[in-house]
Coordinates of all heavy atoms in Angstrom, one line a residue:
M1 N 54.4 69.1 117.3 CA 55.3 69.8 118.3 C 55.7 71.2 117.8 O 56.1 71.3 116.6 CB 56.5 69.0 118.6 CG 57.4 69.6 119.6 SD 59.0 68.8 119.8 CE 58.6 67.8 121.2
K2 N 55.5 72.2 118.6 CA 55.9 73.6 118.2 C 57.3 73.9 118.6 O 57.8 73.4 119.6 CB 54.9 74.6 118.9 CG 53.5 74.5 118.4 CD 52.7 75.6 119.0 CE 51.3 75.6 118.6 NZ 50.5 76.6 119.2
K3 N 57.9 74.8 117.7 CA 59.3 75.2 118.1 C 59.2 76.2 119.2 O 58.2 77.0 119.3 CB 59.9 75.9 116.9 CG 60.3 75.0 115.8 CD 61.0 75.7 114.7 CE 61.5 74.8 113.6 NZ 62.3 75.5 112.6
S4 N 60.2 76.2 120.0 CA 60.2 77.2 121.1 C 60.6 78.6 120.6 O 61.2 78.7 119.5 CB 61.2 76.8 122.2 OG 62.5 76.9 121.7
A5 N 60.3 79.6 121.3 CA 60.6 81.0 120.9 C 62.1 81.2 120.7 O 62.5 81.9 119.8 CB 60.0 82.0 121.8
S6 N 62.9 80.5 121.5 CA 64.3 80.7 121.4 C 64.9 80.1 120.1 O 66.0 80.5 119.6 CB 65.0 80.1 122.6 OG 64.8 78.7 122.6
S7 N 64.3 79.1 119.5 CA 64.8 78.5 118.3 C 64.3 79.2 117.0 O 64.8 78.9 115.9 CB 64.4 77.0 118.2 OG 63.0 76.9 118.1
K8 N 63.3 80.1 117.1 CA 62.8 80.8 116.0 C 63.7 82.0 115.7 O 64.2 82.7 116.7 CB 61.4 81.3 116.2 CG 60.4 80.2 116.3 CD 59.0 80.7 116.5 CE 58.0 79.6 116.7 NZ 56.7 80.1 117.0
S9 N 63.9 82.3 114.5 CA 64.8 83.4 114.1 C 64.0 84.7 114.2 O 62.8 84.8 113.8 CB 65.3 83.3 112.7 OG 65.9 84.5 112.3
A10 N 64.6 85.7 114.8 CA 63.9 87.0 114.9 C 63.8 87.7 113.5 O 63.1 88.7 113.4 CB 64.7 87.9 115.9
F11 N 64.6 87.2 112.6 CA 64.6 87.8 111.3 C 63.9 86.9 110.2 O 64.2 87.1 109.0 CB 66.0 88.1 110.8 CG 66.7 89.1 111.8 CD1 67.6 88.6 112.7 CD2 66.5 90.4 111.8 CE1 68.3 89.4 113.6 CE2 67.1 91.3 112.7 CZ 68.0 90.8 113.6
A12 N 63.2 86.0 110.6 CA 62.5 85.0 109.7 C 61.6 85.7 108.7 O 61.4 85.2 107.6 CB 61.8 84.0 110.5
H13 N 61.0 86.9 109.1 CA 60.1 87.5 108.2 C 60.8 88.3 107.0 O 60.1 88.7 106.1 CB 59.2 88.5 109.0 CG 59.9 89.5 109.7 ND1 60.6 89.3 110.9 CD2 60.1 90.9 109.4 CE1 61.2 90.4 111.3 NE2 60.9 91.4 110.4
F14 N 62.1 88.4 107.1 CA 62.9 89.1 106.0 C 63.4 88.0 105.0 O 63.7 86.9 105.4 CB 64.1 89.8 106.5 CG 63.8 91.0 107.3 CD1 64.1 91.0 108.7 CD2 63.3 92.2 106.7 CE1 63.8 92.1 109.5 CE2 63.1 93.3 107.5 CZ 63.3 93.3 108.8
K15 N 63.4 88.4 103.7 CA 64.0 87.5 102.7 C 65.5 87.7 102.9 O 66.0 88.8 103.2 CB 63.5 88.0 101.3 CG 62.1 87.7 101.0 CD 61.8 88.1 99.6 CE 60.3 88.0 99.3 NZ 60.0 88.5 98.0
E16 N 66.2 86.6 102.6 CA 67.7 86.6 102.7 C 68.3 87.7 101.8 O 69.2 88.4 102.2 CB 68.3 85.3 102.5 CG 69.7 85.2 102.8 CD 70.3 83.8 102.6 OE1 69.5 82.8 102.7 OE2 71.5 83.7 102.4
E17 N 67.8 87.8 100.6 CA 68.4 88.7 99.6 C 68.2 90.2 100.1 O 69.1 91.0 100.0 CB 67.8 88.6 98.2 CG 67.8 87.3 97.6 CD 66.5 86.5 98.0 OE1 65.4 87.0 98.0 OE2 66.7 85.3 98.2
D18 N 67.1 90.5 100.8 CA 66.8 91.8 101.3 C 67.8 92.2 102.3 O 68.3 93.3 102.4 CB 65.4 91.9 101.8 CG 64.3 91.8 100.8 OD1 64.7 92.0 99.6 OD2 63.2 91.5 101.1
N19 N 68.1 91.3 103.2 CA 69.1 91.5 104.3 C 70.5 91.8 103.7 O 71.1 92.8 104.1 CB 69.2 90.3 105.2 CG 68.0 90.2 106.2 OD1 67.3 91.1 106.4 ND2 67.9 89.0 106.7
V20 N 70.9 91.0 102.8 CA 72.3 91.2 102.2 C 72.4 92.5 101.4 O 73.3 93.3 101.6 CB 72.6 90.0 101.3 CG1 74.0 90.3 100.6 CG2 72.7 88.7 102.2
E21 N 71.4 92.7 100.6 CA 71.4 93.9 99.8 C 71.3 95.2 100.6 O 71.9 96.2 100.3 CB 70.3 93.9 98.7 CG 70.5 92.9 97.6 CD 71.8 93.2 96.8 OE1 72.0 94.4 96.5 OE2 72.5 92.3 96.5
S22 N 70.6 95.2 101.7 CA 70.4 96.4 102.5 C 71.7 96.7 103.2 O 71.9 97.9 103.6 CB 69.3 96.3 103.4 OG 69.5 95.2 104.4
R23 N 72.6 95.8 103.5 CA 73.8 96.0 104.2 C 74.9 96.5 103.3 O 75.9 97.0 103.7 CB 74.3 94.7 104.9 CG 73.4 94.3 106.0 CD 73.9 93.2 106.8 NE 74.2 92.1 105.8 CZ 74.1 90.8 106.1 NH1 73.8 90.4 107.3 NH2 74.3 89.9 105.2
R24 N 74.8 96.2 102.0 CA 75.9 96.6 101.1 C 75.7 98.1 100.7 O 74.6 98.6 100.5 CB 75.8 95.8 99.8 CG 76.1 94.3 100.0 CD 76.1 93.6 98.7 NE 76.4 92.2 98.9 CZ 76.1 91.2 98.1 NH1 75.4 91.5 97.0 NH2 76.4 90.0 98.3
P25 N 76.9 98.7 100.5 CA 76.8 100.1 100.0 C 76.3 100.2 98.6 O 76.4 99.2 97.9 CB 78.3 100.6 100.1 CG 79.1 99.5 100.6 CD 78.2 98.3 100.8
A26 N 75.8 101.3 98.2 CA 75.2 101.5 96.9 C 76.2 101.2 95.8 O 75.9 100.7 94.7 CB 74.6 102.9 96.7
T27 N 77.5 101.5 96.0 CA 78.5 101.3 95.0 C 78.7 99.8 94.7 O 79.0 99.5 93.6 CB 79.9 101.9 95.5 OG1 80.2 101.4 96.7 CG2 79.8 103.4 95.5
V28 N 78.5 99.0 95.7 CA 78.7 97.5 95.5 C 77.5 97.0 94.8 O 77.6 96.1 93.9 CB 78.9 96.8 96.9 CG1 78.9 95.3 96.7 CG2 80.2 97.3 97.5
R29 N 76.3 97.5 95.1 CA 75.1 97.0 94.5 C 75.0 97.3 93.1 O 74.3 96.6 92.3 CB 73.8 97.6 95.3 CG 73.6 97.0 96.6 CD 72.4 97.5 97.2 NE 72.8 98.7 98.0 CZ 72.1 99.4 98.7 NH1 70.8 99.2 98.8 NH2 72.6 100.4 99.4
E30 N 75.6 98.4 92.6 CA 75.5 98.8 91.2 C 76.3 97.9 90.3 O 76.0 97.8 89.1 CB 76.0 100.2 91.0 CG 75.2 101.3 91.7 CD 75.8 102.6 91.7 OE1 76.9 102.8 91.1 OE2 75.1 103.6 92.2
G31 N 77.2 97.1 90.8 CA 78.0 96.2 90.0 C 79.4 96.7 89.7 O 79.7 97.9 89.9
K32 N 80.2 95.8 89.3 CA 81.6 96.1 89.0 C 81.8 96.5 87.6 O 81.1 96.1 86.7 CB 82.5 94.9 89.4 CG 82.5 94.5 90.8 CD 83.4 93.4 91.1 CE 83.3 93.1 92.6 NZ 84.2 92.0 93.0
S33 N 82.8 97.4 87.4 CA 83.1 97.8 86.0 C 84.5 97.7 85.8 O 85.3 97.3 86.6 CB 82.6 99.3 85.9 OG 83.4 100.1 86.7
K34 N 85.0 98.1 84.6 CA 86.4 98.1 84.2 C 87.2 99.0 85.2 O 88.3 98.8 85.5 CB 86.6 98.6 82.8 CG 86.0 97.6 81.8 CD 86.9 96.4 81.6 CE 86.3 95.6 80.5 NZ 87.0 94.3 80.3
A35 N 86.6 100.1 85.6 CA 87.3 101.0 86.5 C 87.7 100.4 87.8 O 88.8 100.7 88.3 CB 86.4 102.2 86.8
T36 N 86.9 99.4 88.3 CA 87.3 98.7 89.5 C 88.5 97.9 89.3 O 89.3 97.7 90.2 CB 86.2 97.9 90.1 OG1 85.4 97.4 89.1 CG2 85.3 98.6 91.1
E37 N 88.7 97.3 88.1 CA 89.9 96.5 87.9 C 91.1 97.4 87.9 O 92.1 97.0 88.5 CB 89.8 95.8 86.5 CG 88.7 94.7 86.5 CD 88.6 94.1 85.1 OE1 89.5 94.4 84.2 OE2 87.6 93.4 84.9
V38 N 91.0 98.6 87.3 CA 92.2 99.5 87.3 C 92.4 100.0 88.8 O 93.6 100.1 89.2 CB 91.9 100.7 86.4 CG1 93.0 101.8 86.5 CG2 91.8 100.3 85.0
D39 N 91.4 100.3 89.5 CA 91.5 100.8 90.9 C 92.1 99.6 91.7 O 92.9 99.9 92.6 CB 90.1 101.2 91.5 CG 89.6 102.4 90.8 OD1 90.4 103.2 90.2 OD2 88.4 102.7 91.0
G40 N 91.7 98.4 91.4 CA 92.2 97.3 92.2 C 93.7 97.1 92.0 O 94.5 96.8 92.9
E41 N 94.2 97.4 90.7 CA 95.6 97.3 90.5 C 96.4 98.4 91.2 O 97.5 98.2 91.7 CB 95.9 97.4 89.0 CG 95.4 96.2 88.2 CD 95.5 96.4 86.7 OE1 96.1 97.4 86.3 OE2 95.0 95.5 86.0
E42 N 95.8 99.6 91.3 CA 96.4 100.7 92.0 C 96.4 100.4 93.5 O 97.5 100.6 94.1 CB 95.6 102.0 91.8 CG 96.2 103.2 92.5 CD 95.4 104.4 92.2 OE1 94.6 104.5 91.3 OE2 95.5 105.4 93.0
V43 N 95.4 99.8 94.0 CA 95.4 99.4 95.4 C 96.4 98.4 95.7 O 97.1 98.5 96.7 CB 94.0 98.9 95.8 CG1 94.0 98.3 97.2 CG2 93.0 100.0 95.8
D44 N 96.6 97.4 94.8 CA 97.6 96.4 95.0 C 99.0 97.0 95.0 O 99.8 96.6 95.8 CB 97.5 95.3 93.9 CG 96.3 94.4 94.0 OD1 95.7 94.4 95.1 OD2 96.0 93.7 93.0
A45 N 99.3 97.9 94.1 CA 100.6 98.6 94.0 C 100.8 99.4 95.3 O 101.9 99.3 95.9 CB 100.7 99.5 92.8
R46 N 99.8 100.1 95.8 CA 100.0 100.9 97.0 C 100.2 99.9 98.2 O 101.0 100.2 99.1 CB 98.8 101.8 97.2 CG 98.7 102.9 96.2 CD 97.5 103.8 96.4 NE 97.7 104.5 97.6 CZ 96.7 105.2 98.2 NH1 95.6 105.3 97.6 NH2 96.9 105.9 99.3
A47 N 99.5 98.8 98.2 CA 99.7 97.9 99.3 C 101.1 97.3 99.3 O 101.7 97.1 100.4 CB 98.6 96.7 99.2
D48 N 101.6 96.9 98.1 CA 103.0 96.4 98.0 C 104.0 97.4 98.5 O 104.9 97.1 99.2 CB 103.3 96.0 96.6 CG 102.6 94.8 96.1 OD1 102.1 94.0 97.0 OD2 102.4 94.6 94.9
D49 N 103.8 98.7 98.1 CA 104.7 99.8 98.6 C 104.6 99.9 100.1 O 105.7 100.0 100.8 CB 104.3 101.1 98.0 CG 104.6 101.2 96.5 OD1 105.4 100.4 96.0 OD2 104.0 102.1 95.9
F50 N 103.4 99.8 100.7 CA 103.3 99.9 102.2 C 104.0 98.8 102.8 O 104.7 98.9 103.8 CB 101.8 99.9 102.5 CG 101.6 99.8 104.0 CD1 101.6 101.0 104.8 CD2 101.3 98.6 104.6 CE1 101.4 100.9 106.2 CE2 101.1 98.5 106.0 CZ 101.2 99.7 106.8
I51 N 103.8 97.5 102.3 CA 104.4 96.4 102.9 C 105.9 96.5 102.8 O 106.6 96.2 103.8 CB 103.9 95.1 102.2 CG1 102.4 94.9 102.6 CG2 104.8 93.9 102.6 CD1 101.8 93.8 101.7
N52 N 106.5 96.9 101.7 CA 107.9 97.0 101.6 C 108.5 98.1 102.5 O 109.5 97.9 103.1 CB 108.3 97.4 100.1 CG 108.0 96.2 99.2 OD1 108.1 95.0 99.6 ND2 107.8 96.5 97.9
R53 N 107.8 99.2 102.7 CA 108.2 100.2 103.6 C 108.2 99.7 105.0 O 109.1 100.0 105.8 CB 107.4 101.5 103.5 CG 107.7 102.4 102.3 CD 107.1 103.7 102.3 NE 105.6 103.7 102.7 CZ 104.7 103.7 101.8 NH1 104.9 103.7 100.5 NH2 103.4 103.6 102.2
F54 N 107.1 99.0 105.3 CA 107.0 98.4 106.7 C 108.1 97.4 107.0 O 108.7 97.5 108.1 CB 105.6 97.7 106.8 CG 105.3 97.1 108.2 CD1 104.9 98.0 109.2 CD2 105.5 95.8 108.4 CE1 104.6 97.5 110.4 CE2 105.3 95.3 109.7 CZ 104.8 96.1 110.7
K55 N 108.5 96.6 106.1 CA 109.6 95.6 106.3 C 110.9 96.4 106.4 O 111.7 96.0 107.3 CB 109.7 94.7 105.1 CG 108.6 93.6 105.0 CD 108.7 92.7 103.8 CE 107.7 91.6 103.8 NZ 107.9 90.8 102.6
Q56 N 111.1 97.4 105.7 CA 112.3 98.2 105.8 C 112.4 98.8 107.2 O 113.5 98.9 107.8 CB 112.4 99.3 104.7 CG 113.7 100.1 104.7 CD 114.9 99.2 104.4 OE1 114.8 98.2 103.7 NE2 116.0 99.6 104.9
Q57 N 111.3 99.4 107.7 CA 111.2 100.0 109.0 C 111.6 98.9 110.1 O 112.3 99.2 111.0 CB 109.9 100.6 109.3 CG 109.7 101.9 108.6 CD 110.6 103.0 109.1 OE1 110.9 103.1 110.3 NE2 111.0 103.8 108.2
L58 N 111.1 97.7 109.9 CA 111.4 96.6 110.9 C 112.9 96.3 110.9 O 113.4 96.1 112.0 CB 110.6 95.4 110.6 CG 109.1 95.4 110.8 CD1 108.4 94.1 110.4 CD2 108.8 95.6 112.3
K59 N 113.5 96.3 109.7 CA 114.9 96.0 109.7 C 115.7 97.1 110.3 O 116.6 96.9 111.1 CB 115.4 95.9 108.2 CG 114.9 94.7 107.5 CD 115.4 94.7 106.1 CE 114.8 93.5 105.3 NZ 115.2 93.5 103.9
L60 N 115.3 98.4 110.1 CA 116.0 99.5 110.7 C 115.8 99.5 112.2 O 116.8 99.8 113.0 CB 115.5 100.8 110.1 CG 115.8 101.1 108.7 CD1 115.1 102.4 108.2 CD2 117.3 101.2 108.5
Q61 N 114.6 99.1 112.7 CA 114.4 99.1 114.1 C 115.2 98.0 114.8 O 115.8 98.1 115.9 CB 112.9 98.9 114.4 CG 112.1 100.1 114.2 CD 110.6 99.8 114.3 OE1 110.2 98.7 114.8 NE2 109.8 100.8 114.0
R62 N 115.3 96.8 114.1 CA 116.1 95.7 114.6 C 117.6 96.1 114.7 O 118.3 95.8 115.7 CB 116.0 94.5 113.7 CG 116.7 93.3 114.2 CD 116.2 92.0 113.5 NE 116.8 90.9 114.2 CZ 117.8 90.2 113.6 NH1 118.2 90.4 112.4 NH2 118.3 89.1 114.2
I63 N 118.1 96.8 113.7 CA 119.5 97.2 113.7 C 119.7 98.2 114.8 O 120.7 98.1 115.6 CB 119.9 97.8 112.3 CG1 120.0 96.8 111.3 CG2 121.3 98.6 112.4 CD1 120.1 97.3 109.8
D64 N 118.8 99.1 115.0 CA 118.9 100.1 116.1 C 118.9 99.4 117.4 O 119.6 99.8 118.3 CB 117.8 101.1 116.0 CG 117.9 102.3 116.9 OD1 119.1 102.8 117.0 OD2 116.9 102.7 117.5
S65 N 118.0 98.4 117.6 CA 117.9 97.7 118.8 C 119.2 97.0 119.1 O 119.7 97.0 120.3 CB 116.7 96.7 118.8 OG 116.7 95.9 119.9
I66 N 119.8 96.3 118.2 CA 121.1 95.6 118.3 C 122.2 96.6 118.7 O 123.0 96.3 119.6 CB 121.4 94.8 117.1 CG1 120.4 93.6 116.9 CG2 122.9 94.3 117.2 CD1 120.5 92.9 115.6
T67 N 122.2 97.7 118.1 CA 123.2 98.7 118.4 C 123.1 99.2 119.8 O 124.1 99.3 120.5 CB 123.1 99.9 117.4 OG1 123.2 99.4 116.0 CG2 124.2 100.9 117.6
N68 N 121.8 99.5 120.2 CA 121.6 100.0 121.6 C 122.0 98.9 122.6 O 122.6 99.2 123.6 CB 120.1 100.4 121.8 CG 119.8 101.6 121.1 OD1 120.6 102.5 120.8 ND2 118.5 101.8 120.8
Y69 N 121.7 97.7 122.3 CA 122.0 96.6 123.2 C 123.6 96.5 123.3 O 124.1 96.3 124.5 CB 121.5 95.2 122.7 CG 121.9 94.0 123.5 CD1 121.4 93.8 124.7 CD2 122.8 93.2 123.0 CE1 121.8 92.7 125.5 CE2 123.2 92.1 123.7 CZ 122.7 91.8 124.9 OH 123.1 90.8 125.7
K70 N 124.3 96.5 122.2 CA 125.7 96.5 122.3 C 126.3 97.6 123.1 O 127.3 97.4 123.8 CB 126.3 96.4 120.9 CG 126.1 95.1 120.2 CD 126.7 95.2 118.8 CE 126.5 93.8 118.1 NZ 127.1 93.9 116.7
E71 N 125.7 98.8 122.9 CA 126.2 100.0 123.7 C 125.9 99.8 125.2 O 126.7 100.1 126.0 CB 125.6 101.2 123.2 CG 126.0 101.7 121.8 CD 125.3 102.9 121.3 OE1 124.3 103.3 122.0 OE2 125.6 103.3 120.2
T72 N 124.8 99.2 125.5 CA 124.4 99.0 126.9 C 125.3 98.0 127.6 O 125.7 98.2 128.7 CB 122.9 98.5 127.0 OG1 122.1 99.4 126.3 CG2 122.5 98.2 128.4
I73 N 125.7 96.9 126.9 CA 126.6 95.9 127.6 C 128.0 96.3 127.4 O 128.9 95.6 127.9 CB 126.3 94.5 127.0 CG1 126.6 94.4 125.5 CG2 124.9 94.1 127.3 CD1 126.6 93.0 125.0
G74 N 128.3 97.4 126.7 CA 129.7 97.8 126.6 C 130.5 97.0 125.6 O 131.7 96.9 125.7
F75 N 129.8 96.5 124.6 CA 130.5 95.7 123.5 C 131.4 96.7 122.7 O 130.9 97.7 122.3 CB 129.4 95.1 122.6 CG 130.0 94.3 121.5 CD1 130.5 93.0 121.8 CD2 130.1 94.8 120.2 CE1 131.1 92.2 120.8 CE2 130.6 94.0 119.2 CZ 131.1 92.7 119.5
V76 N 132.6 96.3 122.5 CA 133.5 97.0 121.6 C 133.8 96.2 120.4 O 134.3 95.1 120.5 CB 134.8 97.3 122.4 CG1 135.8 98.1 121.5 CG2 134.5 98.1 123.7
S77 N 133.4 96.8 119.3 CA 133.7 96.0 118.0 C 135.1 96.3 117.6 O 135.7 97.3 117.8 CB 132.7 96.5 116.9 OG 133.0 97.8 116.5
V78 N 135.7 95.3 117.0 CA 137.0 95.3 116.5 C 136.9 95.6 115.0 O 136.6 94.7 114.2 CB 137.8 94.0 116.7 CG1 139.2 94.2 116.2 CG2 137.8 93.7 118.2
D79 N 137.2 96.8 114.6 CA 137.1 97.2 113.1 C 138.4 97.2 112.5 O 139.4 97.5 112.9 CB 136.4 98.5 112.9 CG 134.9 98.4 113.3 OD1 134.3 97.3 113.0 OD2 134.3 99.4 113.7

């Protein structure tokens, strides 16, 4: 019994390694070095900074939203 044309892969004539390697940028294909470890730490630090700033902005927006809501409903705080 023969396979139907729909069950055959259009990419069967390519080797799997060729497909993967051709999609990767040259920098990845060359291999990792010590520099990537240092760069990775820098990226992690920058990501942590971004996340912390983002969380702070969310807190400020929430406070602003609550303040606006209280002003809208005419809430008077007793200080």
Side-chain angles (χ1 to χ4, degrees):
M1 180 189 262
K2 292 184 178 181
K3 289 186 178 181
S4 68
S6 62
S7 67
K8 293 180 183 176
S9 172
F11 301 102
H13 60 283
F14 290 111
K15 292 181 184 175
E16 187 174 337
E17 306 91 39
D18 293 341
N19 285 340
V20 173
E21 287 299 316
S22 65
R23 291 185 304 211
R24 291 183 181 161
T27 53
V28 173
R29 284 182 271 182
E30 292 173 0
K32 295 182 178 179
S33 65
K34 296 281 183 186
T36 32
E37 291 176 14
V38 174
D39 292 342
E41 291 172 6
E42 182 181 340
V43 169
D44 289 345
R46 292 179 67 190
D48 288 339
D49 290 341
F50 173 82
I51 291 167
N52 291 333
R53 285 192 309 268
F54 184 79
K55 286 181 179 179
Q56 184 64 28
Q57 285 294 323
L58 288 177
K59 288 179 186 177
L60 293 173
Q61 288 175 6
R62 184 165 186 252
I63 291 169
D64 190 41
S65 176
I66 291 169
T67 303
N68 289 337
Y69 174 74
K70 287 180 179 180
E71 289 174 357
T72 301
I73 63 169
F75 180 78
V76 178
S77 67
V78 181
D79 289 328

